[in-house]
mmCIF file of all heavy atoms in Angstrom:
data_model
loop_
_atom_site.group_PDB
_atom_site.id
_atom_site.type_symbol
_atom_site.label_atom_id
_atom_site.label_comp_id
_atom_site.label_asym_id
_atom_site.label_seq_id
_atom_site.Cartn_x
_atom_site.Cartn_y
_atom_site.Cartn_z
ATOM 1 N N LEU A 55 7.810 1.284 5.696
ATOM 2 C CA LEU A 55 7.502 0.626 6.963
ATOM 3 C C LEU A 55 7.082 -0.809 6.710
ATOM 4 O O LEU A 55 6.297 -1.086 5.817
ATOM 5 C CB LEU A 55 6.365 1.371 7.667
ATOM 6 C CG LEU A 55 6.659 2.847 7.956
ATOM 7 C CD1 LEU A 55 5.389 3.566 8.382
ATOM 8 C CD2 LEU A 55 7.704 2.943 9.044
ATOM 9 N N PHE A 71 -1.446 9.798 11.630
ATOM 10 C CA PHE A 71 -0.937 9.219 10.393
ATOM 11 C C PHE A 71 -1.954 9.378 9.272
ATOM 12 O O PHE A 71 -1.640 9.872 8.188
ATOM 13 C CB PHE A 71 -0.604 7.741 10.628
ATOM 14 C CG PHE A 71 -0.262 7.008 9.369
ATOM 15 C CD1 PHE A 71 1.004 7.107 8.810
ATOM 16 C CD2 PHE A 71 -1.222 6.243 8.711
ATOM 17 C CE1 PHE A 71 1.315 6.440 7.629
ATOM 18 C CE2 PHE A 71 -0.919 5.581 7.533
ATOM 19 C CZ PHE A 71 0.349 5.683 6.990
ATOM 20 N N PHE A 98 -11.560 8.598 7.522
ATOM 21 C CA PHE A 98 -10.763 9.816 7.481
ATOM 22 C C PHE A 98 -10.958 10.608 6.197
ATOM 23 O O PHE A 98 -10.272 11.603 5.980
ATOM 24 C CB PHE A 98 -9.275 9.470 7.660
ATOM 25 C CG PHE A 98 -8.950 8.965 9.030
ATOM 26 C CD1 PHE A 98 -8.756 7.611 9.266
ATOM 27 C CD2 PHE A 98 -8.846 9.843 10.105
ATOM 28 C CE1 PHE A 98 -8.463 7.141 10.546
ATOM 29 C CE2 PHE A 98 -8.549 9.384 11.383
ATOM 30 C CZ PHE A 98 -8.364 8.031 11.601
ATOM 31 N N VAL A 141 -9.482 -31.669 2.063
ATOM 32 C CA VAL A 141 -9.227 -31.709 3.494
ATOM 33 C C VAL A 141 -8.988 -33.148 3.967
ATOM 34 O O VAL A 141 -8.105 -33.417 4.757
ATOM 35 C CB VAL A 141 -10.396 -31.074 4.269
ATOM 36 C CG1 VAL A 141 -10.168 -31.173 5.767
ATOM 37 C CG2 VAL A 141 -10.544 -29.615 3.875
ATOM 38 N N LEU A 174 -26.572 -43.607 25.503
ATOM 39 C CA LEU A 174 -26.677 -44.158 26.851
ATOM 40 C C LEU A 174 -27.895 -43.609 27.602
ATOM 41 O O LEU A 174 -28.511 -44.327 28.405
ATOM 42 C CB LEU A 174 -25.397 -43.859 27.642
ATOM 43 C CG LEU A 174 -24.144 -44.610 27.167
ATOM 44 C CD1 LEU A 174 -22.904 -44.107 27.909
ATOM 45 C CD2 LEU A 174 -24.296 -46.116 27.385
ATOM 46 N N PRO A 177 -31.344 -45.389 25.041
ATOM 47 C CA PRO A 177 -30.909 -46.330 24.006
ATOM 48 C C PRO A 177 -32.001 -46.700 23.010
ATOM 49 O O PRO A 177 -31.753 -46.816 21.820
ATOM 50 C CB PRO A 177 -30.464 -47.572 24.783
ATOM 51 C CG PRO A 177 -30.561 -47.255 26.211
ATOM 52 C CD PRO A 177 -31.176 -45.932 26.391
ATOM 53 N N ALA A 183 -34.131 -44.354 15.978
ATOM 54 C CA ALA A 183 -33.888 -43.258 15.031
ATOM 55 C C ALA A 183 -32.841 -43.666 14.005
ATOM 56 O O ALA A 183 -32.970 -43.386 12.808
ATOM 57 C CB ALA A 183 -33.444 -42.013 15.786
ATOM 58 N N PRO A 363 -15.661 -25.987 11.979
ATOM 59 C CA PRO A 363 -15.282 -27.370 11.698
ATOM 60 C C PRO A 363 -16.449 -28.305 11.502
ATOM 61 O O PRO A 363 -16.576 -29.291 12.151
ATOM 62 C CB PRO A 363 -14.541 -27.750 12.974
ATOM 63 C CG PRO A 363 -15.330 -27.027 14.029
ATOM 64 C CD PRO A 363 -15.832 -25.756 13.400
ATOM 65 N N LYS A 376 -36.621 -22.249 9.869
ATOM 66 C CA LYS A 376 -38.026 -22.405 9.468
ATOM 67 C C LYS A 376 -38.902 -21.284 9.998
ATOM 68 O O LYS A 376 -38.416 -20.325 10.615
ATOM 69 C CB LYS A 376 -38.544 -23.761 9.981
ATOM 70 C CG LYS A 376 -37.742 -24.903 9.390
ATOM 71 C CD LYS A 376 -38.407 -26.241 9.584
ATOM 72 C CE LYS A 376 -37.624 -27.281 8.812
ATOM 73 N NZ LYS A 376 -38.010 -28.622 9.083
ATOM 74 N N LYS A 420 -40.536 -9.754 6.248
ATOM 75 C CA LYS A 420 -40.305 -11.197 6.132
ATOM 76 C C LYS A 420 -39.258 -11.431 5.052
ATOM 77 O O LYS A 420 -39.266 -10.768 4.007
ATOM 78 C CB LYS A 420 -41.609 -11.915 5.720
ATOM 79 C CG LYS A 420 -42.696 -11.879 6.772
ATOM 80 C CD LYS A 420 -42.462 -12.921 7.841
ATOM 81 C CE LYS A 420 -43.588 -12.916 8.888
ATOM 82 N NZ LYS A 420 -43.252 -13.668 10.076
#
Side-chain angles (χ1 to χ4, degrees):
Chain A
L55 302 168
F71 172 80
F98 292 103
V141 177
L174 291 173
K376 299 194 173 170
K420 293 280 182 193

